[in-house]
Amino acid sequence: MSVTGPAGFRAAGVAAGIKAAGARDLALVVNDGPQQSAAGVFTTNKVKAAPVLWSQQVLQERKLRAIVLNSGCANACTGPGGFQDTHATAEKVADVLGVGAIEIAVCSTGLIGERLPMDALLPGVDSAAKALDTGEQAALDAATAVLTTDSKAKQAHRAHDGGWSIGGFAKGAGMLAPNMATMLSVITTDVAISGADLDEALRAATRVTFDRLDVDGGTSTNDTVLVMASGASGVEASKDEFTALLTEVCHDLVRQLQDDAEGATKTIDITVRGAVSEADAVTIGRIVAEDNLVKTAMFGSDPNWGRIAMALGRAQAEIDVDKVEIATNGVTLYADGATARDRSEADLSGRQIEIVIDLHLGEHTATILSTDLSHDYVEENSAYSS
Amino acid sequence: MSVTGPAGFRAAGVAAGIKAAGARDLALVVNDGPQQSAAGVFTTNKVKAAPVLWSQQVLQERKLRAIVLNSGCANACTGPGGFQDTHATAEKVADVLGVGAIEIAVCSTGLIGERLPMDALLPGVDSAAKALDTGEQAALDAATAVLTTDSKAKQAHRAHDGGWSIGGFAKGAGMLAPNMATMLSVITTDVAISGADLDEALRAATRVTFDRLDVDGGTSTNDTVLVMASGASGVEASKDEFTALLTEVCHDLVRQLQDDAEGATKTIDITVRGAVSEADAVTIGRIVAEDNLVKTAMFGSDPNWGRIAMALGRAQAEIDVDKVEIATNGVTLYADGATARDRSEADLSGRQIEIVIDLHLGEHTATILSTDLSHDYVEENSAYSS
């Protein structure tokens, strides 16, 4: 269950013919209200795809009736023509639903630099509108239609005792280091909440979830997380409760993205403790997460902590080398400026690896979720254009 | 010919037993004067190996009688004991040469976190001192003794019409993104020059050579470039002429490092033009050089410029997306905010790939030298601790 879990939403995912081979490639998620609050966070990349530029504009009203998403083409680096394609997509959805285009967000994912096949996409919107449904299958179809190199759909749902819930789906397997958003994610809730509060909650939740995922440093041109609230439960949750549950849903989705990342044979959680600021903890966690020598060592199940020390030493952050402690899977290997225990004592043979770096300088902590660098990653990203 | 090319220098490279299998692992380069000017640039990594801390200290006098280098052990993250090992190494060399330890620089490269086997290293210094010679073979032995995962020695030599020359060797194949220095490099000259002028020339030369090499983003704990001037030619060159020739030697060495980088099947030169500052050009070049999706696309000979656009959009630099032009091997693929020519027109099947990014914003240019990300890179860095 995902986006149709909360009351007030319908979804669909169809094969419009954007992708070859008849796979589902067009998704539609509609908010039937009574409210239409919405918020979004978008890529920090300076190169922004046309649908990002469009959706940022329409989100200024903090109101959405529907989100249309396609896979198979990112519609990025496509110039004014590409922006017109996004606009035409929104107009088509608005027309079919009898609303204004300003209430329609658009998301695209796939190859950069190619134009959308509008002659396939526009009829696909009609098919998707006809398929709209409140059931679980419709949500799964939508979550499936946005996939690219993902091996499976990523969905999450959490119900609150107070009679409301939050659901969502996400996609993304490569070019995956979201900053204020991941590749694409749609989240729905039936709580009654204003657009401003929704925006605040979304930023708080993504800051500690999507923004902490770093598979390959590749903040994409299309990263987008959108949330829509229908108010259909009639319940107004407290801001704290809503933010907490939203964070849980985001975290669930991010874990699924981490686990299904391109070529990953290990999921690596890098926790930085004792930092003078959260920003420092994140900076250090990311530089270790993105370091190819650390990533290949982890692929080889080798607790080569010297590479972790090298990587963190490159960070623009406050570090006292003699105070740093490095542990892998619970075994402290480096402390007091020298080897603590022999690395043969740390067993990294399993899929899950935990790296803990304690700076012993302050009270701040952050965990970055990452993966290893494997032959499959190289194969997948050298053999195919994606 | 390399460090013994200029007059006034002797070199040696011997097998001291630091590495297994009897490979050469200890090098000695001695400046017999009459002058002993010297300068050095060192890693910007906050985690600095003991020999870096030592050599930075002794270089404050801008005078060196000799440099001792070992492979097989980086002597990094080894605490006070590791620093004492470096000190004892310098004392031993000073003793054998009849000079002061303050005139001896020490360099180490190899695995981080292991202590030096001093019972092998110290007798090795005696053997090296006995083997000191002014010939080409001695220089090659020294250049060979510093290698780790390198497949071959890297040497360079340039003679000036005015009767003086510059020679040098370098090593480094992974953890290779020097910043103010590469893994290890020793350069000699017989020009008569002060330590202060030598320092200035070295910084100018490395800024546009060693600092422009970025194989895997891994600025190491041991990066060091040292230069010694003997004055044995009796010639005082102009500062400009000396800096120009020194830059040529450094560039020659860096090209060899790039070409022999771990697992490289492609050498990739990324030129950024039209930047508002040189710093911006370097920042953009480096972020493209370090991007795994760009690197794997290059491994696959795929001119997937969308990944280049994504990578440069992440840079903390001034960019106007609609003005950017991206060309690979002479074919402009992206311009005016959209696809310019079909990427099938760019042939990347050869070993050498040139990426040119023109920002069309200013007059500044920089070229970053990099390599692709191949199966061999993953294999080499996951199968062995190095």
Side-chain angles (χ1 to χ4, degrees):
Chain A
M1 197 147 57
S2 66
V3 290
T4 58
F9 293 94
R10 287 177 295 156
V14 300
I18 304 163
K19 279 179 177 169
R24 288 183 207 274
D25 51 19
L26 189 79
L28 193 56
V29 183
V30 176
N31 181 356
D32 290 318
Q35 296 185 356
Q36 268 96 23
S37 300
V41 287
F42 299 92
T43 184
T44 54
N45 198 306
K46 292 185 182 72
V47 181
K48 290 176 172 54
V52 168
L53 297 172
W54 170 267
S55 298
Q56 280 183 318
Q57 281 293 324
V58 302
L59 254 298
Q60 288 184 359
E61 303 292 321
R62 292 199 176 129
K63 188 182 170 195
L64 284 180
R65 288 297 297 250
I67 302 166
V68 58
L69 312 93
N70 76 273
S71 56
C73 174
N75 195 11
C77 299
T78 45
F83 190 80
Q84 281 166 20
D85 291 341
T86 288
H87 189 178
T89 305
E91 288 281 4
K92 172 71 182 176
V93 173
D95 191 43
V96 168
L97 297 180
V99 299
I102 189 91
E103 298 169 287
I104 310 297
V106 182
C107 301
S108 298
T109 179
L111 190 62
I112 294 171
E114 306 279 326
R115 291 286 294 275
L116 280 167
M118 295 303 287
D119 53 342
L121 192 149
L122 295 178
V125 170
D126 287 315
S127 311
K130 285 194 192 87
L132 283 168
D133 188 76
T134 58
E136 281 188 36
Q137 184 61 45
L140 177 61
D141 289 348
T144 303
V146 295
L147 305 181
T148 52
T149 55
D150 310 65
S151 76
K152 54 191 165 195
K154 285 100 179 168
Q155 302 188 94
H157 183 258
R158 293 288 187 286
H160 189 273
D161 292 341
W164 53 277
S165 74
I166 305 176
F169 62 74
K171 66 80 52 180
M175 208 176 276
L176 199 52
N179 201 357
M180 271 297 127
T182 187
M183 282 296 275
L184 295 182
S185 180
V186 171
I187 298 165
T188 58
T189 179
D190 49 10
V191 85
I193 188 171
S194 72
D197 285 353
L198 199 57
D199 187 76
E200 199 180 309
L202 181 63
R203 286 176 197 284
T206 56
R207 187 175 67 79
V208 295
T209 54
F210 287 100
D211 289 359
R212 298 282 163 87
L213 177 68
D214 189 343
V215 164
D216 55 10
T219 303
S220 98
T221 50
N222 292 54
D223 292 349
T224 300
V225 181
L226 299 173
V227 55
M228 298 192 289
S230 69
S233 70
V235 180
E236 286 183 41
S238 82
K239 205 190 279 188
D240 283 354
E241 279 189 326
F242 179 72
T243 302
L245 204 67
L246 181 62
T247 303
E248 252 189 61
V249 168
C250 290
H251 189 72
D252 188 338
L253 292 171
V254 165
R255 276 283 180 212
Q256 295 180 57
L257 292 168
Q258 178 191 23
D259 200 53
D260 192 36
E262 285 174 354
T265 74
K266 308 277 188 183
T267 57
I268 307 170
D269 291 5
I270 302 156
T271 296
V272 180
R273 288 188 194 141
V276 297
S277 67
E278 187 180 307
D280 266 16
V282 170
T283 297
I284 292 168
R286 289 184 89 96
I287 208 163
V288 173
E290 292 178 13
D291 190 274
N292 282 353
L293 291 166
V294 173
K295 290 174 107 68
T296 47
M298 297 300 112
F299 173 54
S301 303
D302 178 4
N304 190 339
W305 59 266
R307 295 182 180 180
I308 299 170
M310 176 280 293
L312 69 87
R314 295 192 286 116
Q316 299 290 320
E318 204 173 318
I319 294 165
D320 179 340
V321 179
D322 294 326
K323 290 186 178 171
V324 174
E325 272 184 43
I326 300 172
T328 62
N329 282 1
V331 180
T332 299
L333 301 171
Y334 175 75
D336 301 319
T339 302
R341 285 170 64 187
D342 192 81
R343 58 203 179 128
S344 63
E345 295 182 44
D347 178 8
L348 307 191
S349 59
R351 182 171 174 89
Q352 305 213 329
I353 295 177
E354 193 181 51
I355 297 173
V356 178
I357 298 162
D358 198 329
L359 303 176
H360 290 293
L361 291 179
E363 298 300 314
H364 295 273
T365 294
T367 298
I368 300 294
L369 309 183
S370 192
T371 56
D372 59 338
L373 174 56
S374 68
H375 285 300
D376 283 353
Y377 180 93
V378 173
E379 187 64 22
E380 195 157 342
N381 284 299
S382 60
Y384 313 105
S385 277
S386 59
Chain B
M1 196 147 55
S2 65
V3 289
T4 58
F9 293 93
R10 287 177 296 157
V14 300
I18 303 163
K19 278 179 178 170
R24 290 181 206 275
D25 51 19
L26 189 79
L28 193 56
V29 183
V30 175
N31 180 356
D32 291 317
Q35 298 185 352
Q36 269 96 21
S37 301
V41 287
F42 299 91
T43 183
T44 53
N45 198 305
K46 291 184 182 72
V47 180
K48 290 175 171 54
V52 168
L53 297 172
W54 170 266
S55 298
Q56 280 183 318
Q57 281 293 324
V58 302
L59 253 298
Q60 287 183 1
E61 302 293 321
R62 291 196 176 132
K63 187 182 172 197
L64 284 181
R65 289 296 297 248
I67 302 165
V68 58
L69 312 94
N70 76 274
S71 56
C73 174
N75 195 11
C77 299
T78 45
F83 190 80
Q84 282 166 19
D85 291 342
T86 288
H87 188 179
T89 305
E91 288 282 4
K92 173 71 183 174
V93 174
D95 191 42
V96 168
L97 299 179
V99 299
I102 190 95
E103 299 170 286
I104 310 297
V106 182
C107 301
S108 299
T109 179
L111 190 62
I112 295 171
E114 305 280 326
R115 291 286 293 275
L116 279 168
M118 296 303 287
D119 54 342
L121 192 148
L122 295 179
V125 171
D126 287 315
S127 312
K130 285 196 192 87
L132 282 169
D133 189 75
T134 58
E136 281 189 36
Q137 185 61 46
L140 177 60
D141 289 348
T144 304
V146 294
L147 304 182
T148 51
T149 55
D150 309 66
S151 77
K152 55 190 163 195
K154 284 100 179 167
Q155 302 187 94
H157 184 258
R158 293 287 187 286
H160 189 273
D161 293 341
W164 54 278
S165 74
I166 305 177
F169 63 73
K171 66 79 51 182
M175 208 176 276
L176 198 53
N179 200 358
M180 270 299 127
T182 187
M183 281 296 275
L184 295 182
S185 180
V186 172
I187 298 165
T188 58
T189 179
D190 49 11
V191 86
I193 187 171
S194 72
D197 285 354
L198 200 56
D199 186 76
E200 198 179 309
L202 181 63
R203 286 175 199 283
T206 55
R207 187 176 65 80
V208 294
T209 54
F210 287 100
D211 290 359
R212 298 281 164 87
L213 177 67
D214 189 342
V215 164
D216 55 9
T219 304
S220 98
T221 52
N222 291 53
D223 292 350
T224 300
V225 180
L226 299 173
V227 56
M228 296 192 291
S230 68
S233 70
V235 180
E236 286 183 43
S238 82
K239 204 189 282 187
D240 283 354
E241 279 189 325
F242 179 73
T243 302
L245 204 66
L246 181 61
T247 303
E248 250 188 60
V249 168
C250 290
H251 189 71
D252 188 337
L253 292 171
V254 164
R255 276 282 180 214
Q256 294 179 58
L257 291 168
Q258 177 191 23
D259 200 52
D260 193 36
E262 284 174 353
T265 74
K266 308 276 189 182
T267 58
I268 308 170
D269 291 5
I270 301 156
T271 297
V272 181
R273 287 188 193 143
V276 296
S277 68
E278 188 180 307
D280 266 17
V282 170
T283 297
I284 292 168
R286 289 185 90 94
I287 208 163
V288 173
E290 293 177 13
D291 189 275
N292 282 353
L293 291 165
V294 173
K295 290 174 107 67
T296 48
M298 298 301 110
F299 173 55
S301 302
D302 178 4
N304 191 341
W305 60 266
R307 294 182 180 179
I308 299 170
M310 177 278 293
L312 70 88
R314 295 191 287 115
Q316 299 290 319
E318 202 172 320
I319 294 165
D320 179 340
V321 179
D322 294 327
K323 289 186 179 170
V324 174
E325 272 185 42
I326 300 172
T328 62
N329 282 1
V331 180
T332 300
L333 300 171
Y334 175 75
D336 300 321
T339 302
R341 285 169 64 185
D342 192 81
R343 58 204 178 126
S344 63
E345 295 181 44
D347 178 9
L348 306 191
S349 59
R351 183 171 173 89
Q352 306 213 328
I353 295 177
E354 192 181 50
I355 297 173
V356 178
I357 298 163
D358 198 328
L359 303 176
H360 290 293
L361 291 179
E363 297 302 315
H364 295 274
T365 295
T367 298
I368 300 295
L369 309 183
S370 192
T371 57
D372 59 340
L373 174 55
S374 68
H375 284 300
D376 283 352
Y377 180 93
V378 173
E379 187 62 23
E380 195 157 341
N381 284 298
S382 60
Y384 312 104
S385 277
S386 60

